[in-house]
Amino acid sequence: MRLSGLLGSQQETLPGITGTARLQRRDGALPQRIAARDIVFLDRVDLDRRTAETLVAHEVSAVINASSSISGKYPNLGPEVLLAAGVKLIDDVGPEALRGLRDGATVRLHSGGVFLRGKRGEELLVHGSEQDAETVAARMSEAKSAMSARVAEFSTNTAEFLRRERMLVLDGIGVPEVRVEMSGRHVLVLAPGEGHAVELGRLRRYVREHCPVLIGVSEGADTLRAHGLTPDVIVGDPTLLTERTLGEAGEVVIPAGPDGHAPGTARVQELGIGAVTFPAGGNPEDLALLLADVHGAALVVIAGSRASLEEFLDRERSLSNPSTFLTRMRLAGKVVDGSAAMEFERSRLSNIVFLVLAFGVLLMGLLALAASGVGAPYLTVLGGFAEAVLEFCTGMIT
C-alpha cells in the first residue's frame, strides 16, 4: 500500500510519530547509534526493565518489537517502564520489519502501523499491536497468574530431582573419572545452544591466552573442531557427532539413564573409541559442569547455554530445569557465562590501549630530551624503562 503525493509540508501534517529508524543487528544488542526521538526496532521476547531503562535514557520516541514484549511466561517490567516514560510501544510486527528496513530510514507510526518514507511518498511496512497502560496491565496480570503455577511446578520438580540425585548434586558421587587433568585449570564448556558458534568465535582470545580444558557438549564438540580446536572431553550422545570429532577427542563421556543404559555406546564401540558412561538424570551440559567441578576446575566458562529466569520457568524445559538450577547453585561463583568472559577480555584490551598511549607519551619525552641536548644523563635510565614498558605491552598483546 503506497501513499503517493505526500511530499514537502504535507508530510509534516500526517498524524502519529515520525523519526529515524535504529535497528537491532544481532541478538541481545541494542543499536549502536541511538539519539533522542529515534524509533528503535528490536526483536526481543519479554522486554526486560534494564533494556527499557536504557532506551528511556536515550530519550527514544518509540520502540517497535518484532516479538511480544510480554509473552505471559513471567511478569517482566520493560513495557511498563517505556509507557511510564511516554515511549510508544508497538508489538508483534514480525521479523520482516527488521529485514525490510534500512538503519537510518525515516519512518512514521500511527495506530499500530509503521510507514516507511521514501522519495515518492509513504509505504505501509508492517502493522503491529500498539500497547497502552490497559493492555500491558492485563498481560501482566495473566503473566503473574501463570508464574505462580510455574513456580509451584518448578519447586515440585526440583524437590523430586534432589531426592533422586542428592548424592550426585551435593557430594559429586557418581561422577566418572577422566584422564584429562582439570585441577586448578580453566574449563570452557561449549553447549549447542542458539548462537553458540558465534559466541565461541568471540572467545578466541580467551581460549588462546588461558588454554582452558575444552569440553564439547553434544554438537558443541563438532563446533569446536570446526573452529580449529580439539575437544579434550566430549559429553553427549556419540550418534550426534562426526567420526573425526569422536576420534580426536581426549575423552568421551556418554550420559546414561538411571538403569545404566547409554544411547550411542554401540557407535563408539564400532569405531574402537574408548568411552565412559555417566549415569544421571541431568542434561548433558549440566553433567559437563559437574564433571569440571568435581575434578577441581578453578573456573568454568560456559558458552551456548542460558540459565535465565525465562529458561527456568519455561514449561517445555521443566524436566531438565531442576538439574540446571541445582548444578548452577553447586558451582556458585566458579561458573561464568561466556558473555561475561568476553567483557573481561574487552576490559583488558582497554588497559592495553592505555599502556600503549602511556608508552607513546614517554617516547615523546625521550625525544624531547634528546633534541634539547641537556638530557643525556637521563636517557640511559629512561631508555631502559621504556624498553621494559615496551616488553610488558608486547607480552600483554601477544
Side-chain angles (χ1 to χ4, degrees):
M1 173 176 156
R2 186 176 296 279
L3 304 177
S4 59
L6 301 178
L7 302 175
S9 61
Q10 292 181 349
Q11 287 182 324
E12 304 302 326
T13 63
L14 292 173
I17 297 176
T18 302
T20 302
R22 295 301 177 195
L23 277 63
Q24 171 185 303
R25 289 304 188 189
R26 59 186 178 87
D27 292 344
L30 288 174
Q32 292 184 348
R33 296 179 299 168
I34 305 179
R37 301 184 62 78
D38 281 350
I39 296 174
V40 177
F41 287 73
L42 303 173
D43 188 357
R44 190 167 302 188
V45 178
D46 293 321
L47 186 64
D48 61 280
R49 182 177 64 181
R50 179 175 297 181
T51 299
E53 289 174 343
T54 301
L55 293 169
V56 170
H58 281 88
E59 299 180 353
V60 303
S61 60
V63 174
I64 314 300
N65 196 346
S67 301
S68 177
S69 294
I70 305 179
S71 69
K73 291 181 179 179
Y74 64 94
N76 56 303
L77 301 178
E80 289 184 340
V81 170
L82 292 179
L83 295 180
V87 179
K88 186 178 291 294
L89 175 62
I90 298 178
D91 266 3
D92 298 309
V93 299
E96 61 272 13
L98 299 181
R99 291 196 295 264
L101 186 61
R102 174 181 57 84
D103 188 86
T106 300
V107 296
R108 182 174 66 89
L109 314 179
H110 180 59
S111 299
V114 180
F115 298 87
L116 176 62
R117 180 176 296 183
K119 295 181 179 180
R120 295 183 296 173
E122 282 191 340
E123 180 181 0
L124 178 62
L125 182 64
V126 288
H127 194 280
S129 302
E130 185 170 342
Q131 303 297 326
D132 56 29
E134 292 184 1
T135 59
V136 169
R139 295 300 303 275
M140 287 287 284
S141 178
E142 295 173 2
K144 289 176 182 178
S145 299
M147 184 177 181
S148 297
R150 289 177 186 272
V151 168
E153 181 182 12
F154 177 74
S155 299
T156 300
N157 291 339
T158 301
E160 176 60 23
F161 181 84
L162 188 58
R163 184 188 65 80
R164 296 195 316 267
E165 304 283 355
R166 62 184 182 277
M167 296 182 68
L168 171 65
V169 175
L170 299 180
D171 302 317
I173 297 176
V175 175
E177 292 295 327
V178 292
R179 296 186 300 271
V180 178
E181 181 60 44
M182 302 184 197
S183 180
R185 297 181 61 186
H186 285 209
V187 173
L188 173 61
V189 175
L190 182 65
E194 182 179 357
H196 72 286
V198 174
E199 194 169 354
L200 176 62
R202 294 173 183 162
L203 288 167
R204 288 192 304 269
R205 181 180 293 275
Y206 166 78
V207 172
R208 183 170 64 251
E209 296 185 356
H210 294 276
C211 298
V213 175
L214 301 175
I215 300 182
V217 178
S218 300
E219 295 95 324
D222 278 333
T223 304
L224 284 170
R225 194 177 64 80
H227 280 69
L229 301 170
T230 301
D232 297 297
V233 181
I234 293 175
V235 180
D237 185 349
T239 61
L240 302 176
L241 301 171
T242 64
E243 180 178 339
R244 182 174 177 182
T245 299
L246 290 169
E248 292 179 353
E251 188 87 63
V252 178
V253 179
I254 307 175
D259 59 356
H261 174 66
T265 304
R267 181 157 192 248
V268 294
Q269 291 176 344
E270 291 173 359
L271 296 174
I273 298 172
V276 296
T277 59
F278 193 162
N283 58 53
E285 63 193 62
D286 297 334
L287 302 187
L289 292 176
L290 285 172
L291 193 72
D293 183 46
V294 170
H295 288 290
L299 181 74
V300 182
V301 175
I302 182 165
S305 175
R306 296 291 178 267
S308 63
L309 177 63
E310 178 183 359
E311 292 289 322
F312 285 128
L313 298 180
D314 190 340
R315 185 178 299 273
E316 294 179 359
R317 290 170 51 92
S318 60
L319 293 179
S320 62
N321 279 339
S323 166
T324 300
F325 175 72
L326 293 170
T327 300
R328 295 296 178 108
M329 286 189 66
R330 175 189 168 91
L331 271 73
K334 184 185 291 188
V335 63
V336 176
D337 190 77
S339 59
M342 287 184 276
E343 288 298 325
F344 295 156
E345 294 303 318
R346 188 174 292 114
S347 299
R348 187 173 175 277
L349 285 175
S350 299
N351 293 334
I352 293 173
V353 171
F354 173 78
L355 289 171
V356 171
L357 290 175
F359 177 74
V361 172
L362 177 62
L363 181 60
M364 291 177 63
L366 289 172
L367 293 175
L369 283 173
S372 67
V374 298
Y378 306 100
L379 289 179
T380 302
V381 175
L382 291 177
F385 178 70
E387 290 181 3
V389 172
L390 180 60
E391 290 178 2
F392 179 72
C393 292
T394 303
M396 291 273 294
I397 295 173
T398 57

